[in-house]
Amino acid sequence: MPVPAPELGSYQYVPETKEDLPWADLVTLDLSKYSTPSGKAELAQELLSALRNKGFFYVKNFNVSEERVNRQFALGREFYELPLEEKMKYVPDHAAGQLNGYTPAGSRLINKENGVRDRVELYNVPKQNGFFSQEYPEVVKAYLPEIEAFQRSLHSEVLDPLFVLLALALELPEDYFTRLHVYDKRSEDHLRYMKYGRYTAEENAKLAVWTSGHTDLGSFTLLFRQPVAGLQIREPGSDQWKWVKPQDGTLTVNACDALTFLTGGYVRSTIHRVTVPPKDQQHVDRLGLLYFSRPLNDLRLRTITDSPLLVREGYTQNEFEKSGHEPPTMQEWTYAKQKWQRAEQYYGDEKYRTAEIVPGFQEKVYDEPQVLAGY
């Protein structure tokens, strides 16, 4: 007899900070305008401006209800309340570059002098399309149909429109990028429930950041509103770190490495990090809900040569091509970078932080050597 799914209950968000922080000034794309040709053309230019100038932006009116989002946060809460020994049953082979499943906290020494380790836990659920075999705890298994429906909605209601707008902005056929990001084909997209455990005030005083400056490796990352401030972007041009404000009814979206490679550097994969929260929020854990979009695994990351705009602007080679290296496939790039991210590492290890991930791509140091890799 089937075991009934446990009740998720409601999810309570903590209050936003009252501190006056230097917030980033980001564009908001209103997808309610997407249904008309003129609205779509306007949004395409807004998206292009956001990608060129900041790399981060907000999206509103994306047709995924707040109730559905809240249920995913509640599911993440239930997962992290499981005993550690239960969660440890679902740890993937990090040494092979695998990341679907559970990653426990404490794998990184983030302050060598004081011995402080990270308190970041990850739980990744891949696309439910038959390509990924994975075991799940009962609390997650009971909700897999709902998780799949949620993932598919993120594709149809958010990602597909963004990819159409990007194609229009680059003067490409509307389906150019949607054909490279199909839910039912093999790619390393995943939904992530991410918990930053709190530190004491004394511990926070010894830390500069919780995760160092990094870029994401895929196409777009979707971050659902999370009221504990901590996310910062390094603004292109000024190189100043600015806080990203949680906005009601929005998604925060950032462009990632794969789009930078495909556009020869025209689209910015913006550097970001998670820093110590404001003092009025340091007493709570920080639970995040994210979706990482990635191109099909067999796509080779060559610069798109079909875009009249990229050709006119002179963006015809990415860093692999400029150095005479064959660009990797998306699968090769994903597993190489994930393997690098999860390797054993130490505070201030500059050799590690600037390692060659794949031939033709060398990692960079984006801020102080306090935390040694992004997530």
Side-chain angles (χ1 to χ4, degrees), residues 114-298:
N114 299 292
V116 179
R117 303 191 76 87
D118 80 88
R119 290 181 188 164
V120 182
E121 298 175 80
L122 313 178
Y123 185 64
N124 293 341
V125 179
K127 295 192 295 185
Q128 301 297 295
N129 59 5
F131 285 103
F132 301 93
S133 119
Q134 184 168 328
E135 296 296 320
Y136 298 95
E138 289 299 323
V139 68
V140 176
K141 186 185 298 183
Y143 290 98
L144 282 177
E146 185 172 340
I147 290 172
E148 178 182 350
F150 187 73
Q151 291 177 334
R152 288 183 179 275
S153 291
L154 296 183
H155 276 253
S156 63
E157 305 301 327
V158 183
L159 291 167
D160 285 354
L162 290 179
F163 287 129
V164 167
L165 295 174
L166 178 59
L168 290 174
L170 297 181
E171 302 171 19
L172 292 163
E174 284 195 10
D175 66 346
Y176 192 97
F177 290 104
T178 56
R179 287 186 285 109
L180 305 180
H181 299 83
V182 179
Y183 187 90
D184 288 310
K185 294 187 178 181
R186 187 171 190 127
S187 61
E188 303 297 325
D189 307 53
H190 55 268
L191 184 67
R192 175 177 295 178
Y193 309 90
M194 187 172 189
K195 180 183 176 182
Y196 288 83
R198 61 186 177 273
Y199 293 90
T200 65
E202 293 74 22
E203 289 170 324
N204 275 321
K206 301 172 185 176
L207 299 175
V209 291
W210 282 3
T211 62
S212 68
H214 64 282
T215 59
D216 293 344
L217 66 86
S219 298
F220 285 122
T221 298
L222 310 181
L223 171 65
F224 289 85
R225 179 186 173 275
Q226 198 290 112
V228 180
L231 176 63
Q232 293 181 328
I233 66 169
R234 196 173 84 177
E235 290 199 326
S238 71
D239 285 338
Q240 296 293 309
W241 290 100
K242 295 294 183 70
W243 297 72
V244 177
K245 187 174 180 61
Q247 301 274 18
D248 288 340
T250 68
L251 280 167
T252 302
V253 184
N254 62 280
C256 311
D257 296 344
L259 289 184
T260 297
F261 297 145
L262 292 171
T263 61
Y266 190 75
V267 169
R268 292 181 184 275
S269 182
T270 297
I271 303 156
H272 55 288
R273 68 184 185 184
V274 175
T275 191
V276 178
K279 289 184 178 179
D280 59 356
Q281 293 185 318
Q282 291 184 11
H283 62 290
V284 294
D285 296 330
R286 186 176 187 270
L287 180 62
L289 177 66
L290 307 93
Y291 190 81
F292 293 85
S293 167
R294 294 173 176 176
L296 302 179
N297 275 13
D298 60 1

Side-chain angles (χ1 to χ4, degrees), residues 24-36:
D25 183 16
L26 303 180
V27 168
T28 300
L29 301 186
D30 183 355
L31 290 187
S32 68
K33 300 189 291 186
Y34 182 78
S35 59
T36 67

